[in-house]
Amino acid sequence: MADTVNQQVIVNGVNFDCSHISVILLGSVRPGVKSVAYNYNRTSANTYGIGNQPVSHGYGQTMYTGGSLEFIADELESIIKAAPNGDITNIPPFEIKIAFTPDALNPNGKVETLKFVRLTGRTQSLKGGDTHVSNTVSFEFAGITYE
């Protein structure tokens, strides 16, 4: 009988992790970004003819439903100071690049670029025991490219 408990299967090598990721926005790498999340989806629907089974399918619009960036407060403060009238929602549309940097263990880098990003709001969270202050910034975008 095979020893399945001690077997390890490595199929795709080393995964990207946070040490491989850089977030570039407003012309600078932003090391104070703690997280980035974004979402899009595309409608897909079956097409029916006579009978009860689909005969084909079609696609609709791609909807870019927005995202968020979590910043360490000091990082966001530098952006607020540079924003028109100190309001991040007044910053003209820009791109966010999420760069997955290659290294010896993972030689295939990539870049995802969010297009026409507009910052739409800010939430600050403070609680006892915090060792730093975080801010979450919401955004809308209109497109994504992959390099």
Side-chain angles (χ1 to χ4, degrees):
M1 178 154 74
D3 180 7
T4 58
V5 174
N6 294 318
Q7 289 181 339
Q8 292 182 344
V9 177
I10 299 177
V11 177
N12 294 321
V14 177
N15 286 318
F16 284 110
D17 56 41
C18 285
S19 68
H20 292 96
I21 299 171
S22 297
V23 178
I24 302 134
L25 63 122
L26 300 169
S28 300
V29 173
R30 301 292 177 164
V33 172
K34 292 182 62 177
S35 67
V36 58
Y38 46 96
N39 188 29
Y40 70 95
N41 58 58
R42 186 174 178 192
T43 303
S44 176
N46 290 328
T47 305
Y48 292 85
I50 294 175
N52 64 356
Q53 296 297 314
V55 295
S56 65
H57 68 275
Y59 293 102
Q61 296 175 325
T62 300
M63 303 297 292
Y64 299 93
T65 54
S68 63
L69 291 156
E70 183 181 3
F71 288 93
I72 295 171
D74 294 344
E75 186 78 57
L76 184 58
E77 282 302 316
S78 68
I79 295 170
I80 291 169
K81 286 179 183 173
N85 300 318
D87 183 350
I88 60 171
T89 64
N90 289 333
I91 297 172
F94 60 93
E95 293 181 346
I96 296 176
K97 291 184 180 281
I98 300 100
F100 298 80
T101 308
D103 65 14
L105 296 174
N106 196 340
N108 300 315
K110 64 179 184 172
V111 177
E112 296 181 6
T113 303
L114 307 181
K115 302 289 195 173
F116 204 74
V117 175
R118 289 100 51 213
L119 303 180
T120 58
R122 171 185 170 200
T123 302
Q124 182 165 281
S125 175
L126 305 165
K127 60 185 179 298
D130 282 351
T131 59
H132 67 280
V133 175
S134 290
N135 290 264
T136 301
V137 173
S138 56
F139 65 85
E140 298 293 328
F141 69 106
I144 186 168
T145 59
Y146 302 95
E147 302 168 34

